Amino acid sequence: MKAFLEKIPLPVDQSFSIKTDISKKFYNQWHYHPEIELVYIVDGNGTALIGDGIINIKKNDLILIGSNVPHMLRSDEETSFENMQITETTTIHFTRDILESFLQLPENKEIIHLLEKSNLGLNISGSTKESVIAILKSISFKKKTQRLISLLEILNILAENGEYQSISGHTLKLFLNKQDENRLNRIYHYTLNNFHREITLKEIADVIHLAPNAFCRYFKSRTKKRYSQFLLEVRVSHACKLLKETDLNIGVISFESGFMNLSNFNRHFKLITGKTPLKYKRQSY
């Protein structure tokens, strides 16, 4: 899927980068880079679009994103500057090249498998997440070989434990076209700003100056899914967040998530999550 190619700066005396970003919002551009990315959400809440997947993100989340996988993190408060909260992330970027010889060793088949799975984006969970976060909190203070050892330790923990869930349904093909980058960013931001109400096909098509039929063909060719399906996934993702984090009743959550009636909400929620909203809420406690 087409996205902005981001250049990751790397000091001449380091083989991979570690950085902490503190800002009013997450980096909200649809982009990709050849480096594999491990991002730890130190603080902040929002939505992550990774490949063709959508998840809610919050403090203490940990995500592994494969090489050249398009992605975007977007803060919940982005539409209201006055109410923005500080976001903080710690991110490691590394290329597979720096480990190539090491990965050829027979002991490292599980790490190779992990890096292949990262092409779908991996949401890390459980004790695995806690162990990796502990290393991330100390890795910036290590130097030279110790830094590299810490990276290998992280990959070993992730590969051995397997406590993660795929975010994207399949790996999206990149289209290296500036026009696609701009169009998809406009579509995504408009949808995330307006999903709580009805969005007509003409309305979203007008965002990128296409006729409705042309828009449908364009969006599916770039994302491998219909826009209506993407919009449903955004709405259900928001409903999941409300079910987990609030005491609102299901009828109110349905309305706040952009569904016009409760029966449609229940049906689509179960189709996407495999659970009824009530069961999802109960299992979230």
Side-chain angles (χ1 to χ4, degrees):
M1 187 174 185
K2 177 60 193 85
F4 169 70
L5 174 60
E6 183 184 12
K7 300 293 182 67
I8 307 296
L10 185 65
V12 294
D13 61 342
Q14 296 178 14
S15 60
F16 65 97
S17 74
I18 305 166
K19 65 175 182 176
T20 296
D21 291 313
I22 301 174
S23 180
K24 287 284 188 180
K25 60 183 179 180
F26 295 121
Y27 181 59
N28 65 355
Q29 293 301 301
W30 186 242
H31 70 286
Y32 69 99
H33 38 71
E35 292 83 3
I36 297 164
E37 176 175 320
L38 179 66
V39 57
Y40 165 41
I41 310 298
V42 181
D43 203 0
N45 298 282
T47 303
L49 279 68
I50 299 172
D52 70 348
I54 305 166
I55 61 168
N56 295 310
I57 52 173
K58 62 185 182 305
K59 181 177 180 177
N60 286 329
D61 277 353
L62 184 68
I63 300 171
L64 183 66
I65 305 170
S67 173
N68 290 323
V69 174
H71 56 282
M72 175 176 74
L73 306 184
R74 190 176 187 278
S75 300
D76 278 344
E77 298 81 10
E78 197 165 306
T79 57
S80 177
F81 187 84
E82 297 80 5
N83 295 324
M84 282 183 183
Q85 299 177 3
I86 294 296
T87 65
E88 181 178 350
T89 57
T90 296
T91 309
I92 291 180
H93 289 107
F94 66 96
T95 64
R96 184 166 170 160
D97 292 346
I98 68 170
L99 305 172
E100 199 57 47
S101 297
F102 174 76
L103 291 175
Q104 298 309 311
L105 300 175
E107 294 88 348
N108 296 318
K109 289 182 179 178
E110 289 182 349
I111 293 180
I112 292 176
H113 189 50
L114 169 75
L115 297 181
E116 289 172 349
K117 283 189 171 182
S118 72
N119 289 324
L120 298 176
L122 301 177
N123 192 11
I124 316 300
S125 59
S127 59
T128 299
K129 179 176 74 170
E130 301 308 318
S131 298
V132 172
I133 288 174
I135 298 172
L136 285 172
K137 288 179 176 179
S138 65
I139 194 172
S140 296
F141 301 101
K142 296 182 179 180
K143 297 181 180 180
K144 299 182 179 180
T145 305
Q146 286 297 324
R147 281 166 41 98
L148 187 55
I149 290 173
S150 293
L151 175 60
L152 296 176
E153 187 178 0
I154 286 172
L155 294 176
N156 182 59
I157 291 171
L158 293 173
E160 280 195 343
N161 293 293
E163 288 184 291
Y164 49 72
Q165 299 81 40
S166 298
I167 298 169
S168 181
H170 61 276
T171 302
L172 293 177
K173 188 175 180 180
L174 297 173
F175 293 83
L176 304 182
N177 181 296
K178 185 69 176 178
Q179 185 181 45
D180 278 337
E181 172 198 328
N182 292 332
R183 280 178 166 181
L184 290 167
N185 268 302
R186 292 203 299 272
I187 292 167
Y188 289 151
H189 283 294
Y190 191 89
T191 303
L192 291 169
N193 284 338
N194 296 282
F195 69 86
H196 56 280
R197 61 171 181 79
E198 182 182 7
I199 301 176
T200 66
L201 183 56
K202 182 180 185 308
E203 178 183 354
I204 191 63
D206 284 345
V207 170
I208 58 171
H209 310 296
L210 289 179
N213 288 340
F215 172 85
C216 290
R217 291 192 298 270
Y218 172 81
F219 190 83
K220 189 168 185 179
S221 72
R222 297 307 188 267
T223 68
K224 311 305 179 188
K225 67 173 65 173
R226 292 176 290 111
Y227 177 76
S228 58
Q229 179 64 27
F230 170 69
L231 180 57
L232 280 173
E233 290 171 2
V234 170
R235 287 171 169 164
V236 168
S237 177
H238 183 69
C240 288
K241 179 181 176 66
L242 295 180
L243 287 166
K244 282 183 177 180
E245 300 179 5
T246 74
D247 293 324
L248 296 173
N249 67 54
I250 290 175
V252 172
I253 289 173
S254 169
F255 179 77
E256 291 292 331
S257 301
F259 290 91
M260 297 300 106
N261 61 69
L262 189 57
S263 62
N264 273 342
F265 172 60
N266 288 328
R267 179 166 59 89
H268 289 301
F269 191 95
K270 188 172 184 180
L271 281 172
I272 291 174
T273 68
K275 303 172 185 177
T276 65
L278 184 58
K279 185 176 181 180
Y280 184 93
K281 187 174 184 66
R282 287 173 176 168
Q283 292 181 347
S284 297
Y285 287 112

